[in-house]
Amino acid sequence: MSDLAAELGFFGREDALHAVTDLMESGGSAVATGDPGAGKSSLMRVAARLAQGRGRRVLSVTPTQFEQGLPFAGLAELVGQCPEDADSDLPGPQRRALAVALHRAEPAGGEVDALAVPLAARGLLTRLCETEPIALLVDDLQWLDEASLGSLGFALRGLAVEPGRLSVLVATRPDPYSGTDLIRSLAEPRREFVLPPLADDAVGQVLRDRLGPRWTPPLAAGVARASGGNALLALEIARAMEAGPAHRRSGVVPVPPSLADLLRERVERLPRDAREVLLLASAAGRLTMAQALGIVEGARLREALEDAADEEVASVGAGSAIVFTHPLMASAVYDAATPGERRRAHRKLAEALQDPVERARHRSRTVTAPDEAVAAELERAAEISRGRGAQRLAGELLEGAALTTPDGGLDRWLRAVDVYGDAGDEMAARAALDKGSALATLPEEQAQVLARRVRLAGDVATARSLAEQALPLAPPGTAIRAGIMSVLAALCRLQGDGTRALEMARTAAAEAAALEQWETQLAALSEQVSIERHWGVGQPEQTLREIESLAERAEPPLSASWLAFIRGFFADRDDQEAERRVRDGIAWAVDAGRYGELSLLYVALVLILIRSSKVDDARAALDEAARTGAWTAASRDWSAAYTSQEAMARVLVDGYSGNLDVAREWARRAVAEPRIRESTYWRGGFLAQLGFVETSARDWQAALEPLRELAGIFASTRMVDMEALLWAVDYADAALQTGAMPEADAAIAVLRHQAAAGRPEAAVAADRCEALVRAARGDVDDALTRLRAIVETGAECPFEAARSRLALGQVYRRAGYKGLAGETLNAAATTFEELGIPRWAERARLEAGRIGLRPTTSGLTETERRVAELVGAGHSNQETAAELFMSVKTVEANLTRIYRKLSVRSRTELANLMTAGVPEP
């Protein structure tokens, strides 16, 4: 390893070298942390050499402080190192978004969806890793621009590649807030190591390698002590000694000033022309020779760069760009310039560069007083940035426009707040709102400010209070008033105030219609139908027809995916078109690149599939949502405020498919979340699901706890329904199992109210629960009559129909009809099994086991029957597999099902059962 260190010029870092060597051989991820000058950039150069030597394609990102304001600068550097056709297999919207973000294409109207570029980055890395092993190196993470940081973090977090195909090395300063999201996204196991100060002998090796043999150990030892083991500082001290005549003669180590001062001294030794050219390069962030020749005469430029190269400050690198030998050199050049020199450099760049966003950024750094022309240029640049998907930069540009607006620029401040909010940067949005809010003097302006504070509020109660304050300030007949009322309707619904919510929704819809504010009207009508369903008031079917009518006449057309969500989410259980509509909406959103609209669509799809008892399809939809990044783009609208849409979907799917520990954890975390706890609507939804999970686990007392709380919520808010969730069935079940008969009666009353509100399946469920209550009170014959009628009618979804069959079997057993009970319970178990709901199949089989009859093979498939016969006759798994021409794993899987269905726990019990003779069906 020491020979390799000497070959690579990387001394005193054996542990780091070993870690990076292993990383490049086996793949994985690592984070190297070190102070400025500690050797992070040298480590990256060594990593690149090691990766290339092991056949990896190297993708390196080396940002500088001055590139932080250039959106997607880091991503552009990475993509520039990929094969030309690497993005050819990406979906059209992603490929287009990537081209626009990297300035390879112009925006074609509108703005790029915030998730399109991150999805493209993930797809690109996936395809590259499938082609060849990759090493991704990110130096100075603290300076990576926000757009690239978010895109790479998202890409790495969801990347699914074969082990060993990707090696990721990130270098950063010891700052706990720099790039934490990207670091958290790195694959585990993640190596982390610190680059400590170099030992004296290692500093000597660095000096001799870089500056020559005259730096003997005694002379180098003084430099090592003075530098504190910082490699870059040691080199600068040594160069200062070589540059100073007195130090050359005496060999005395100068008292070291700060590293920045040493770097500034080296910069100041450069000729004036070289300093001016390098100032342009540092101010630009990235300046190519072609761009520099548009500012500086050719001969002068070449001479300046020669001087910079001689002093080891900068050179011409890949892509004919002017690059600094160390990122800190760029900072030293910029810091050494006077404010006037910096303004002149930015002015030259603003006049010479072609990209309007870069020109506007540089123009903003030249002004010392408000200037409407500059403000307008920054505003135009912000719109271009939004079109490219660089939302955060758009917010910064709008802030700059507001600051340079002669009258204060309230409108531009508010637009900056909105853009930051869309980008998910709530901290920047609040800061911008605080800066601009003092400019709001008129009531309508104050309402505009409060409306933004509603969106940024930390809890539902505060948001509603702010909305109530804003409403009287908004003049009648204005768009802001209609918008505030629509949001207020959502907030009241979330808090369980149905009366106020309905009033606001209806008024908002009417005022928005008068103003032809179609999007606001759609939002208000959506709230209205939800409120009408939850409280059993009004005419929700009529409201849905109004939404359909609105969709036909609105210009421009309303979002197809939002309409698909409404049509699917509020559909009746037996609506055969609901699933198709939502899937069409998902396809439309993906084709249009509107990934931010996917989260609600997938929640609707999962809910529709669960209502239809298509559990396996719901699991597939959940996995598909994760692949598309739907949960990352979860809506921030108050209609879905403070929710975890992914959590609700996962609880539903895992609860039904039997992964109860996972479902319970998701539900409990959600219920404990403070912001969900404050929302009656969302807390109620998770309580209902937690109750179902515990009922599925047959932990009746644990089920009663959340369901009692939910019953209290329904009583206090007078709600009658919640997204057609038949939670009161579980409440009645748990109450009956624990003998809490009054609570069982209360649960039935809830179901009756739900049925009266337009849910016919709730009426059937209430009849079933009432029959079970009658049976518990001794009226078994009447209970059997009612349950047989329910089962014969078949008016329920498959899962609820199986629950009715389970209930009938239980009452048959209570009545002493063992044969009918066994047949009915086994039939219920088979249905649950076929639906992919194993915990309920297990419950039905346990009930059958309590009858006292010998198990039958009626529940076994033909394959399971043959496996049972062979294993029962004494055949091993291997022998059985050979006999039936199947794998041993298939035999084992069949045995697991056979044990469960026949209520046996071992091969011995199975053999005894088969020897005794299992009755045929």
Side-chain angles (χ1 to χ4, degrees):
M1 193 67 71
S2 59
D3 292 340
L4 180 60
E7 178 190 345
L8 299 174
F10 192 63
F11 305 104
R13 304 291 192 195
E14 284 73 18
D15 290 344
L17 188 59
H18 185 276
V20 172
T21 300
D22 181 61
L23 176 68
M24 296 307 157
E25 286 179 348
S26 59
S29 60
V31 179
T33 304
D35 292 320
K40 298 188 297 297
S41 297
S42 297
L43 177 66
M44 287 295 174
R45 288 191 288 271
V46 169
R49 287 275 303 277
L50 292 169
Q52 289 165 349
R54 285 153 180 76
R56 292 185 182 273
R57 176 185 287 273
V58 176
L59 304 176
S60 60
V61 182
T62 55
T64 69
Q65 177 183 357
F66 301 94
E67 290 177 313
Q68 281 187 302
L70 299 178
F72 300 111
L75 187 60
E77 186 178 3
L78 184 151
V79 173
Q81 300 164 61
C82 298
E84 287 189 11
D85 61 346
D87 64 347
S88 59
D89 292 335
L90 294 177
Q94 294 177 27
R95 190 167 61 253
R96 173 73 183 171
L98 187 62
V100 170
L102 304 186
H103 304 186
R104 297 178 176 181
E106 291 299 319
E111 61 188 60
V112 171
D113 188 281
L115 196 58
V117 176
L119 279 170
R122 177 191 290 176
L124 193 63
L125 281 176
T126 301
R127 286 157 178 77
L128 287 172
C129 289
E130 290 170 351
T131 304
E132 58 186 325
I134 300 295
L136 174 59
L137 312 178
V138 182
D139 195 4
D140 280 316
L141 181 65
Q142 74 278 355
W143 286 337
L144 186 62
D145 66 274
E146 288 286 340
S148 296
L149 192 67
S151 296
L152 288 178
F154 176 88
L156 293 171
R157 185 164 51 251
L159 201 62
V161 297
E162 292 182 15
R165 299 292 286 182
L166 178 66
S167 299
V168 183
L169 176 61
V170 172
T172 186
R173 292 182 182 177
D175 179 352
Y177 303 106
S178 290
T180 51
D181 287 342
L182 187 145
I183 291 174
R184 280 197 296 265
S185 71
L186 297 179
E188 296 288 353
R190 183 175 70 230
R191 307 164 180 86
E192 296 191 14
F193 53 90
V194 176
L195 297 177
L198 289 175
D200 290 2
D201 60 339
V203 171
Q205 288 177 295
V206 171
L207 296 181
R208 286 189 290 279
D209 181 70
R210 296 289 298 276
L211 302 180
R214 73 175 295 269
W215 289 95
T216 59
L219 184 58
V223 175
R225 288 192 296 272
S227 67
N230 185 291
L232 182 60
L233 181 55
L235 282 167
E236 291 306 312
I237 291 172
R239 287 193 178 100
M241 292 176 66
E242 290 182 335
H247 298 311
R248 276 203 302 269
R249 289 193 300 269
S250 66
V252 174
V253 178
V255 176
S258 69
L259 178 57
D261 289 339
L262 280 172
L263 293 176
R264 186 181 298 109
E265 287 176 11
R266 181 133 65 104
V267 169
E268 289 172 350
R269 292 200 296 268
L270 290 168
R272 181 179 182 82
D273 283 354
R275 292 202 306 273
E276 289 183 0
V277 168
L278 295 180
L279 177 58
L280 290 170
S282 64
R286 187 177 188 277
L287 190 68
T288 65
M289 286 294 291
Q291 291 169 327
L293 285 169
I295 305 172
V296 182
E297 187 270 327
R300 182 173 165 230
L301 176 62
R302 284 190 293 273
E303 184 177 352
L305 290 175
E306 287 175 2
D307 291 334
D310 290 343
E311 287 290 337
E312 296 187 54
V313 175
S315 61
V316 179
S320 296
I322 300 173
V323 295
F324 291 88
T325 54
H326 193 281
L328 291 176
M329 284 294 182
S331 301
V333 168
Y334 196 81
D335 292 342
T338 66
E341 288 171 335
R342 294 174 194 165
R343 284 195 298 273
R344 284 192 292 275
H346 286 296
R347 188 175 296 112
K348 290 177 181 179
L349 290 167
E351 292 168 355
L353 296 179
Q354 297 300 311
D355 183 72
V357 176
E358 291 188 46
R359 293 180 63 177
R361 286 180 60 249
H362 290 295
R363 186 85 67 198
S364 69
R365 288 166 171 77
T366 67
V367 296
T368 56
D371 186 325
E372 178 57 33
V374 174
E377 186 176 359
L378 287 166
E379 188 172 31
R380 287 191 296 273
E383 291 305 310
I384 294 171
S385 293
R386 292 189 71 184
R388 292 173 176 171
Q391 298 279 20
R392 197 180 192 291
L393 175 62
E396 292 173 2
L397 291 167
L398 283 167
E399 276 203 65
L403 287 168
T404 53
T405 302
D407 67 356
L410 175 62
D411 181 62
R412 286 166 174 159
W413 280 115
L414 296 179
R415 288 176 59 202
V417 173
D418 293 340
V419 171
Y420 281 134
D422 290 340
D425 192 340
E426 294 186 356
M427 184 178 297
R430 288 192 183 94
L433 189 57
D434 290 341
K435 293 173 188 174
S437 59
L439 299 169
T441 55
L442 299 175
E444 184 172 359
E445 293 173 339
Q446 293 168 352
Q448 294 274 11
V449 169
L450 284 170
R452 270 74 176 182
R453 294 204 184 281
V454 168
R455 183 179 183 185
L456 298 171
D459 58 83
V460 177
T462 300
R464 179 177 176 180
S465 175
L466 291 168
E468 296 282 14
Q469 294 173 45
L471 186 59
L473 295 171
T478 59
I480 182 61
R481 181 177 176 83
I484 290 171
M485 285 190 292
S486 178
V487 170
L488 188 52
L491 292 165
C492 292
R493 174 175 62 82
L494 290 171
Q495 284 198 311
D497 187 350
T499 301
R500 178 70 167 161
L502 186 60
E503 175 194 355
M504 288 294 98
R506 286 174 171 169
T507 309
E511 294 202 11
L515 295 167
E516 297 188 350
Q517 296 285 322
W518 309 129
E519 294 286 350
T520 302
Q521 185 183 0
L522 176 62
L525 288 173
S526 301
E527 281 300 324
Q528 183 176 327
V529 71
S530 184
I531 296 160
E532 289 172 339
R533 284 281 175 87
H534 293 164
W535 274 270
V537 296
Q539 297 179 308
E541 295 303 321
Q542 173 62 34
T543 306
L544 285 170
R545 286 193 290 273
E546 286 184 45
I547 291 174
E548 294 288 348
S549 174
L550 173 62
E552 292 174 1
R553 69 177 187 275
E555 284 294 339
L558 297 170
S559 166
S561 56
W562 180 246
L563 289 169
F565 163 74
I566 295 171
R567 290 162 174 161
F569 192 74
F570 296 112
D572 292 329
R573 180 192 65 79
D574 56 356
D575 186 340
Q576 301 300 311
E577 295 295 304
E579 180 182 347
R580 180 191 61 78
R581 287 169 176 166
V582 174
R583 290 191 184 278
D584 287 348
I586 289 171
W588 179 87
V590 170
D591 289 343
R594 298 179 67 157
Y595 302 101
E597 299 176 7
L598 288 174
S599 56
L600 285 174
L601 284 166
Y602 274 108
V603 168
L605 180 58
V606 166
L607 189 59
I608 289 167
L609 293 170
I610 290 296
R611 285 176 185 166
S612 304
S613 305
K614 298 178 180 179
V615 178
D616 290 341
D617 289 350
R619 168 68 64 187
L622 193 67
D623 294 341
E624 181 183 303
R627 288 195 303 273
T628 62
W631 310 128
T632 305
S635 169
R636 293 184 179 87
D637 292 342
W638 270 111
S639 57
Y642 300 124
T643 71
S644 173
Q645 293 158 354
E646 179 183 12
M648 180 56 76
R650 288 194 179 279
V651 172
L652 280 166
V653 173
D654 284 319
Y656 276 83
S657 58
N659 301 319
L660 300 186
D661 289 342
V662 175
R664 185 183 292 111
E665 179 63 22
W666 277 98
R668 285 179 175 172
R669 280 208 312 261
V671 168
E673 165 63 42
R675 292 175 296 186
I676 287 178
R677 192 163 57 238
E678 295 164 358
S679 167
T680 299
Y681 170 77
W682 280 102
R683 182 169 176 81
F686 283 113
L687 288 171
Q689 289 311 306
L690 187 55
F692 175 76
V693 168
E694 300 298 0
T695 301
S696 300
R698 302 188 300 281
D699 189 339
W700 315 117
Q701 290 295 341
L704 280 175
E705 183 178 344
L707 294 172
R708 281 170 176 157
E709 182 182 344
L710 183 54
I713 289 174
F714 267 57
S716 63
T717 63
R718 299 190 178 182
M719 288 174 62
V720 299
D721 193 13
M722 181 174 284
E723 316 310 355
L725 295 173
L726 297 178
W727 63 271
V729 175
D730 303 316
Y731 188 25
D733 194 352
L736 281 167
Q737 296 290 339
T738 57
M741 303 305 290
E743 288 191 90
D745 292 334
I748 293 169
V750 171
L751 289 169
R752 295 292 182 203
H753 286 305
Q754 196 171 356
R759 296 291 185 191
E761 62 270 28
V764 181
D767 290 343
R768 182 209 310 154
C769 294
E770 192 167 303
L772 288 169
V773 168
R774 287 176 179 270
R777 287 172 172 155
D779 196 350
V780 176
D781 291 339
D782 183 63
L784 284 174
T785 300
R786 291 168 180 264
L787 289 171
R788 277 195 294 260
I790 292 171
V791 170
E792 290 168 4
T793 302
E796 300 173 286
C797 73
F799 172 65
E800 292 299 331
R803 286 186 76 165
S804 291
R805 197 173 292 275
L806 170 63
L808 178 59
Q810 289 172 317
V811 178
Y812 270 140
R813 180 178 58 77
R814 182 187 291 268
Y817 300 115
K818 293 187 176 182
L820 287 172
E823 179 184 340
T824 305
L825 290 169
N826 282 322
T830 299
T831 301
F832 285 131
E833 195 111 321
E834 291 170 349
L835 293 173
I837 311 175
R839 294 306 185 100
W840 286 81
E842 180 182 311
R843 178 177 177 182
R845 296 196 190 285
L846 286 172
E847 290 285 348
R850 296 172 62 189
I851 297 171
L853 294 175
R854 287 185 302 172
T856 75
T857 60
S858 61
L860 299 184
T861 66
E862 183 59 31
T863 298
E864 291 167 350
R865 186 193 301 274
R866 294 173 69 193
V867 169
E869 290 171 349
L870 289 171
V871 172
H875 288 65
S876 68
N877 288 0
Q878 290 82 357
E879 292 169 340
T880 302
E883 178 76 18
L884 299 179
F885 300 100
M886 62 177 61
S887 70
V888 174
K889 285 189 176 180
T890 303
V891 172
E892 292 170 350
N894 276 280
L895 275 176
T896 299
R897 292 192 293 272
I898 291 165
Y899 287 174
R900 184 170 62 245
K901 290 181 178 182
L902 299 185
S903 300
V904 297
R905 293 171 292 180
S906 68
R907 300 172 75 91
T908 301
E909 288 186 16
L910 178 61
N912 292 337
L913 185 65
M914 301 304 291
T915 301
V918 180
E920 294 300 318

